[in-house]
Amino acid sequence: MEEKAEWQKRNGEDDEAEDEEDVDETGFKTVKDAVLFAIDVSPSMVTPPPASDVKGADRDAPVKAALQCAYQLMQQRIISNPNDMMGILLFGTEKSKMQGQEESRSGGLAYPHCYLVVDLDVPSAADVKALRSMLEDDEEGSDRILVPSTEPVAMSNMLFCANQIFTTKAPNFASRRLFIVTDNDNPHVHDKALRSSATVRAKDLYDLGVTLELFPISRAGHAFDRSKFYEDIIYSRSPTDPDAPAPLSLPNNPITSGEGITLLNALLSSVKSKAAPRRALFSNLPLEIGPGCRISVKGFILLKRQRPARSCFVWLGGEKAQIAKGVTTRTTNDDISKPVDAAEVRKAFKFGGSQVVFTPEETSSLRYFGDPIIRIVGFKPVAMLPVWASVKQSTFIYPSEEDYVGSTRVFSALHQKLLKADRMAVAWYVARKNAAPVIAALLPGPERVGEHGEQTTPPGLWIVPLPFADDIRQNPDTSLVRSPEALIDVMREIMTQLTLPKGRYHPEKYPNPALQWHYRILQAMALDEEIPQHPDDKTLPKYKQIHKRVGPLMADWHAELEKQWLLLEEANRANTKRSSSVRMLVSHDFIRTKAETGAVPSTVSDEDMHSHYEKEKINKLTLPLLKGWMESKALATHGKKAELVQRIEQWHARNYP
């Protein structure tokens, strides 16, 4: 039974794990990505940089660095994106090889000087091993292939070859991209016909839905100039989704070979920024600004938590391991345990010990709150949105012209007005069919640029789901402890010294150590590599640098903390003696008054009441004492004792902050 429960849990078929909202996910775009590396094998690309004594200088030729970059990207995608395709095409080689064709010279081949190292397909462990063997075996592997052609190479030929690869291997993929790595900024300087032919082939790729990404490499003494040739073939917008936000970064800056930072690291950084395609969460959702005024928008997930790829069960009884599919069987809850068909089952909800049965139509009608829409119901200052109100993942929206022409202009006007007025829109938000409606805030997001003027965050609106009254929990009862000013002053200096560069956190510098460790172990086992002993955790504090910066300040802070602690202890002892004296005096006065007059005191002193407040014992006083003290402070005395205690506590909180 435990194994069966575990099986159901793994396959998402446990009855308790069933989603109560059978949402229609047709509005989601599940994008498969196909990336083809096109690496130039020219004489300058295969020439290693000159020897240098500079620490961290390049040692490998640019083409080797590009292949190593593709190799590392393949290692990552084979686990993190198991359904995406990747291939490696070399152009400008002496030998030629294409799909189903043997190695030979250029004669008789449709795509001369193009060598397909890894065919465009879902990467397998065998592909990774073969590429690693090619990189490690210099004499018998890569050097036999990485021989530049003695004849001129036409860029149109490479682009047409890539067109055929995408057409035959990934015809239905929504995201298809060609990564071109080269150091030649003008391959057809003296031939206008070849230049025109390359432009036509690039346009064919764009019409096919393929995005071209250029990764230029500058050589020593020669800066890569994309305006000479590549501005005519590289398009800035995505062909498959022209309404998507502008590219998150400007065209990749040329990477210089032979400098202190290795070319491989620079290439990896540039390629990783383009590795994940833009994926729409929903398309053409109506945004209603007012009655009769609608525009259409698309939603994008710009931030998403990454988790390890889902595990599966395999059957090892045959010649080859096969994935075992789980099947759910429902039975009656009695001694017979008779299996029942899906048509005989109805969904029920427990209510007062009984089950209320609903038909599928009734269940759908209960969940229906209208068609998917974002309907603005009002505007509020951004300052009214508390920090704790963001309880769910936010969605970035951008205009789309498909359903409503002019959506971009209206969206831009709304965005700019919200930014200038420092306001947000409050909206009724239904993301998709049968989804539960939420109240959301539409926050305007400004455009952000990096150090070199590249765009890091596009301008647009963020949908921030707000909590309902049912989502808010009671705050815990805590006593406020204020730190002395002297202690705060020392800590202020420490925080100033340990502030992050420019006061900003850059998540791209800190990969998830648990996720990377999982992938590293899985990769080592799949590729028969040596199992690493320790994870590479970049989130660990750099203790030596911290001690160097604030070591003396931390010692001063500890000394000040000890001093303030002793003062606090002394003050507490004094207050304890004082409170005891007050209690004895009050008790003596109470007994004497009662003995002399036969009546109890009608009030207590301010010092005694404050002592009871600090010890949270106001409720120990009698009701006449509480009312007598409240009358002296002009406080309302009606209500139950708990209400009186609450008013007294509020009075002390205001007057003794």
Side-chain angles (χ1 to χ4, degrees), residues 483-497 553-554 556-557 560 564:
S483 178
E485 290 295 330
L487 206 58
I488 296 176
D489 292 339
V490 181
M491 181 56 70
R492 184 180 294 111
E493 297 183 20
I494 295 175
M495 295 182 64
T496 302
Q497 294 295 328
L553 293 175
M554 290 295 296
D556 296 342
W557 186 83
E560 185 66 28
Q564 295 296 333

Side-chain angles (χ1 to χ4, degrees), residues 431-601:
R432 55 193 179 275
K433 185 179 179 182
N434 291 336
V438 298
I439 300 296
L442 300 187
L443 290 177
E447 180 185 24
R448 300 186 185 276
V449 295
E451 298 179 356
H452 306 289
E454 74 277 10
Q455 186 187 71
T456 58
T457 304
L461 296 179
W462 291 86
I463 303 178
V464 182
L466 302 178
F468 289 104
D470 315 76
D471 303 326
I472 301 176
R473 305 294 180 90
Q474 183 64 37
N475 294 332
D477 295 330
T478 57
S479 57
L480 180 61
V481 178
R482 294 187 179 275
S483 178
E485 290 295 330
L487 206 58
I488 296 176
D489 292 339
V490 181
M491 181 56 70
R492 184 180 294 111
E493 297 183 20
I494 295 175
M495 295 182 64
T496 302
Q497 294 295 328
L498 296 181
T499 302
L500 291 171
K502 297 186 178 181
R504 294 191 62 186
Y505 167 71
H506 297 279
E508 63 273 7
K509 295 183 179 180
Y510 304 98
N512 187 338
L515 188 68
Q516 296 302 321
W517 181 240
H518 170 82
Y519 285 159
R520 184 68 186 90
I521 295 296
L522 193 59
Q523 171 187 314
M525 297 182 66
L527 303 180
D528 298 329
E529 297 177 348
E530 183 179 355
I531 303 296
Q533 298 297 325
H534 303 286
D536 183 16
D537 188 357
K538 295 185 179 180
T539 63
L540 291 176
K542 298 179 180 179
Y543 296 106
K544 292 184 179 180
Q545 295 185 12
I546 293 176
H547 179 73
K548 184 178 179 181
R549 287 187 177 184
V550 298
L553 293 175
M554 290 295 296
D556 296 342
W557 186 83
H558 279 287
E560 185 66 28
L561 177 63
E562 185 69 22
K563 176 182 176 181
Q564 295 296 333
W565 172 256
L566 294 176
L567 294 175
L568 181 62
E569 285 289 309
E570 184 178 352
N572 288 338
R573 285 195 297 268
N575 289 335
T576 301
K577 292 180 180 179
R578 186 177 181 181
S579 299
S580 299
S581 301
V582 171
R583 283 198 303 271
M584 291 177 62
L585 182 60
V586 171
S587 178
H588 181 267
D589 292 342
F590 175 81
I591 295 173
R592 186 175 54 128
T593 303
K594 186 174 182 180
E596 293 177 356
T597 65
V600 298

Side-chain angles (χ1 to χ4, degrees), residues 197-215:
S197 178
T199 304
V200 172
R201 294 301 184 188
K203 184 63 169 60
D204 292 342
L205 280 171
Y206 184 84
D207 294 339
L208 185 64
V210 178
T211 303
L212 274 65
E213 298 281 2
L214 176 65
F215 298 92

